[in-house]
């Protein structure tokens, strides 16, 4: 489980779900509320790792002895809709699709944004010659034609971002062979064995870590200046909470947000310690330089753009909803700011 959920639990694992909480009766004043959080190793979930390490959950009257680590975001939302998970930070488009296609009460609501930039990229195998950094966006994406491109799972954020990149480069999804190979820990051996020619990375550190561990090349970071605005200007990490929990125990959800805010502030004041924790918890102890670089990136680029306690603006939600509509993962009218974002989470 060193990176992105390798060895994750299957649906219906009673012992793990019990350990993670999974609902429970509301806590009385002063008592801790059982609260089941799904998370993966890595920078998009680093606040979760800090909360566990620093015992932040208990400080905010939340009982979270460990995190549930599904194999993908798709599976995480299956667990959330089933009531085995209360909260999960994920790809925003996947959250919106789950919200649109789940029944009221069980669907996720968006309670904030952790990252209001894109974190996706593509790493190419060392077995190919790829366009250089000076190449255009179109040239870089065109180099994928006819190749096997790995994504975490079909319909997940990486798959959707691949489709968008191909479309914006004037190509079709059928121009590549998209293969679901699982999270980063499974992508690395697949790249090394030549079973895939490139891999769509989900997190900032993942792009650099995959390149390091495979000897491959970062073909593109979707945050680069020459990437089309539609792809670059995304808020890709949103926090979802099961609707029943939001409606019945809003104070519990706000306690979770407060715990994450503590973690964000801790990063800013403890950068060396934060980098060490990210390296050991998310990168298997193999990438201290990447971890340190991410902490500086978080401090200079990510944190300054966040609203207080991660609140979601209507502009950001509407922009991401338009993308979801474009992909066909939601229908017209499925996503509204008022239905998706509870009042306490609005900016």
């Amino acid at each position: 489980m060193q990176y992105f959920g390798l060895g994750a639990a299957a649906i219906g694992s009673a012992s793990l779900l019990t350990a993670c909480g999974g609902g429970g009766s509301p806590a009385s004043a002063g008592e801790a509320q059982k609260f089941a959080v799904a998370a993966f190793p890595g920078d998009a979930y680093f606040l979760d790792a800090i909360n566990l390490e620093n015992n932040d959950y208990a400080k905010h009257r939340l009982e979270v002895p460990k995190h549930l680590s599904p194999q993908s975001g798709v599976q995480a939302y299956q667990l959330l809709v089933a009531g085995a998970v209360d909260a999960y930070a994920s790809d925003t488009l996947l959250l919106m699709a789950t919200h649109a296609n789940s029944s009221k009460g069980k669907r996720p609501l968006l309670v904030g944004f952790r990252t209001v930039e894109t974190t996706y990229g593509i790493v190419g195998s060392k077995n190919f010659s790829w366009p250089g950094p000076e190449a255009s966006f179109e040239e870089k994406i065109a180099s994928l034609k006819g190749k096997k491109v790995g994504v975490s799972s079909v319909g997940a954020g990486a798959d959707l971002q691949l489709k968008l990149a191909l479309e914006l480069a004037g190509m079709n999804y059928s121009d590549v062979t998209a293969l679901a190979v699982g999270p980063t820990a499974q992508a690395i051996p697949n790249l090394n064995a030549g079973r895939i020619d490139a891999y769509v990375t989900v997190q900032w550190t993942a792009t650099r870590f995959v390149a390091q561990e495979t000897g491959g090349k970062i073909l593109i970071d979707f945050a680069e200046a020459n990437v089309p605005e539609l792809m670059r200007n995304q808020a890709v990490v949103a926090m979802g909470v099961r609707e029943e929990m939001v409606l019945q125990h809003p104070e519990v959800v706000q306690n979770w947000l407060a715990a994450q805010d503590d973690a964000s502030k801790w990063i800013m004041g403890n950068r060396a310690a934060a980098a060490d924790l990210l390296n050991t918890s998310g990168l298997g102890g193999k990438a201290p330089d990447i971890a340190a670089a991410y902490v500086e990136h978080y401090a200079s680029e990510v944190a300054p753009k966040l609203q207080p306690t991660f609140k979601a603006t209507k502009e950001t939600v509407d922009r991401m909803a338009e993308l979801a509509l474009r992909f066909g993962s939601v229908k017209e009218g499925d996503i509204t700011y008022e239905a998706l974002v509870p009042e306490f989470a609005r900016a």
Side-chain angles (χ1 to χ4, degrees):
M1 296 177 68
Q2 285 294 330
Y3 206 78
F4 295 105
L6 183 63
I11 294 175
S13 177
S15 59
L16 182 52
L17 296 182
T18 301
C20 290
S25 59
S28 59
E31 292 183 356
Q33 165 73 46
K34 288 185 177 180
F35 194 69
V37 178
F40 297 92
D43 59 77
Y45 303 89
F46 189 36
L47 300 186
D48 299 323
I50 294 170
N51 283 159
L52 274 183
E53 180 72 16
N54 292 348
N55 202 29
D56 292 330
Y57 292 123
K59 296 174 188 175
H60 293 279
R61 300 198 308 277
L62 298 174
E63 185 181 332
V64 187
K66 65 195 314 184
H67 295 137
L68 179 64
S69 296
Q71 290 197 355
S72 69
V74 173
Q75 188 188 75
Y77 274 122
Q78 290 173 338
L79 290 169
L80 188 143
V81 170
V85 165
D86 296 314
Y88 173 60
S90 78
D91 177 86
T92 305
L93 298 178
L94 182 56
L95 186 156
M96 289 181 170
T98 308
H99 173 89
N101 293 287
S102 303
S103 59
K104 289 185 178 182
K106 298 180 179 180
R107 62 189 181 179
L109 298 187
L110 191 156
V111 298
F113 285 109
R114 276 189 188 169
T115 307
V116 291
E117 64 178 14
T118 186
T119 61
Y120 289 88
I122 299 178
V123 175
S125 166
K126 63 184 177 182
N127 299 325
F128 293 88
S129 177
W130 302 96
E134 71 288 347
S136 69
F137 168 78
E138 290 78 10
E139 290 174 312
K140 291 177 180 179
I141 300 303
S143 69
L144 295 171
K145 188 170 184 177
K147 294 186 172 62
K148 296 172 289 185
V149 182
V151 297
S152 55
S153 62
V154 175
D159 190 36
L160 296 177
Q161 296 295 327
L162 175 61
K163 289 179 180 178
L164 179 60
L166 291 166
E167 178 186 330
L168 294 177
M171 298 170 64
N172 299 313
Y173 189 54
S174 58
D175 287 333
V176 303
T177 301
L179 299 174
V181 298
T184 299
Q186 293 160 260
I188 291 170
N190 276 291
L191 270 172
N192 283 332
R195 288 187 285 269
I196 55 175
D197 305 320
Y199 181 70
V200 183
T201 49
V202 174
Q203 303 188 53
W204 193 96
T205 53
T207 303
R208 291 142 185 87
F209 188 71
V210 171
Q212 171 185 292
E213 293 299 296
T214 64
K217 178 177 180 178
I218 299 175
L219 174 62
I220 191 167
D221 181 330
F222 289 144
E224 292 170 4
N226 67 345
V227 172
E229 175 76 7
L230 185 64
M231 172 145 272
R232 180 165 42 86
N233 187 23
Q234 295 188 46
V236 299
V237 184
M239 292 176 283
V241 175
R242 184 177 167 86
E243 186 173 23
E244 288 176 339
M245 178 64 71
V246 173
L247 296 177
Q248 297 172 15
H249 310 296
E251 74 288 348
V252 173
V253 179
Q254 291 176 73
N255 285 347
W256 182 50
L257 294 171
Q260 292 174 89
D261 192 49
D262 284 353
S264 181
K265 291 173 179 174
W266 183 83
I267 293 174
M268 304 297 286
N270 302 272
R271 298 190 190 185
D276 182 64
L277 179 60
L278 178 57
N279 182 42
T280 55
S281 67
L283 296 163
K286 297 181 178 180
D289 292 342
I290 293 175
Y294 175 75
V295 168
E296 293 307 312
H297 175 75
Y298 184 87
S300 62
E301 299 294 333
V302 179
K305 298 174 184 175
L306 299 175
Q307 297 285 335
T309 59
F310 315 101
K311 289 189 176 183
T313 67
K314 187 175 187 302
E315 177 187 5
T316 302
V317 170
D318 288 348
R319 184 171 70 248
M320 296 305 294
E322 288 176 9
L323 261 182
L325 183 64
R326 179 174 183 155
F327 284 128
S329 52
V330 304
K331 298 176 183 177
E332 189 73 46
D334 279 349
I335 301 296
T336 67
Y337 184 67
E338 293 73 20
L340 181 68
V341 183
E343 189 170 352
F344 65 77
R346 299 173 192 169

